[in-house]
Amino acid sequence: MKILYITSTLTRKANSASIRNVSLINGLIKNGVEVDVLTLNWPINVIDDFLEDSVSDKVKIYRDELFILNKYFNNKLKKGMYLEKNNSFYDKVKRTIKSIIKD
């Protein structure tokens, strides 16, 4: 059986839908289904590397451009909203405490 899986959030950061999509696709692959994925071509700063590596190698991923989305993210990048910032010691401690509480 072949499936074309269409989603806008395959490997986007901080998104529970991305985790569900990757898990569902990998489960379909384990059950012998051939899966192709059609998704959006997100900017590199928005993609989660761990999720990107978690997708099975057997999946063919087709990334498509969406003009409105590209325009939106290009404006955000120009304003510096998606650039990594030099975090202070306080921010690192706060992030560590959040991760401990979350676990």
Side-chain angles (χ1 to χ4, degrees), residues 3 5 7 10-11 21-22 26-27 32 34 39 54 60-61 64 68 70-71 77 80 91-93 100:
I3 292 180
Y5 193 85
T7 180
L10 182 63
T11 56
N21 287 331
V22 169
N26 287 337
E34 190 176 325
T39 188
S54 297
K60 295 177 187 172
I61 301 175
D64 195 18
I68 295 171
N70 287 342
K71 186 175 179 182
L77 287 171
D91 290 335
K92 291 178 184 177
V93 170
I100 291 170

Side-chain angles (χ1 to χ4, degrees), residues 50-67:
F50 177 75
L51 286 176
E52 192 76 25
D53 293 338
S54 297
V55 178
S56 175
D57 295 335
K58 296 178 182 178
V59 177
K60 295 177 187 172
I61 301 175
Y62 302 97
R63 299 180 190 274
D64 195 18
E65 299 289 331
L66 188 61
F67 175 74

Side-chain angles (χ1 to χ4, degrees), residues 7 12 25-26 30 75 88-91 99:
T7 180
R12 189 167 174 217
I25 290 166
N26 287 337
K30 285 181 184 176
N75 287 339
S88 67
F89 177 74
Y90 174 75
D91 290 335
S99 70

Side-chain angles (χ1 to χ4, degrees), residues 7-103:
T7 180
S8 61
T9 57
L10 182 63
T11 56
R12 189 167 174 217
K13 282 184 184 178
N15 195 334
S16 62
S18 298
I19 297 167
R20 287 191 306 267
N21 287 331
V22 169
S23 298
L24 178 62
I25 290 166
N26 287 337
L28 289 169
I29 291 292
K30 285 181 184 176
N31 286 315
V33 178
E34 190 176 325
V35 180
D36 293 343
V37 178
L38 177 62
T39 188
L40 295 175
N41 191 15
W42 291 97
I44 195 75
N45 297 339
V46 182
I47 293 178
D48 187 346
D49 294 330
F50 177 75
L51 286 176
E52 192 76 25
D53 293 338
S54 297
V55 178
S56 175
D57 295 335
K58 296 178 182 178
V59 177
K60 295 177 187 172
I61 301 175
Y62 302 97
R63 299 180 190 274
D64 195 18
E65 299 289 331
L66 188 61
F67 175 74
I68 295 171
L69 186 67
N70 287 342
K71 186 175 179 182
Y72 172 78
F73 277 110
N74 285 336
N75 287 339
K76 296 285 186 187
L77 287 171
K78 286 178 187 174
K79 293 178 183 176
M81 296 181 84
Y82 285 104
L83 300 177
E84 291 185 19
K85 298 175 183 172
N86 189 5
N87 294 329
S88 67
F89 177 74
Y90 174 75
D91 290 335
K92 291 178 184 177
V93 170
K94 187 170 81 173
R95 194 176 322 118
T96 303
I97 291 172
K98 274 186 175 180
S99 70
I100 291 170
I101 291 171
K102 193 185 287 187
D103 289 341

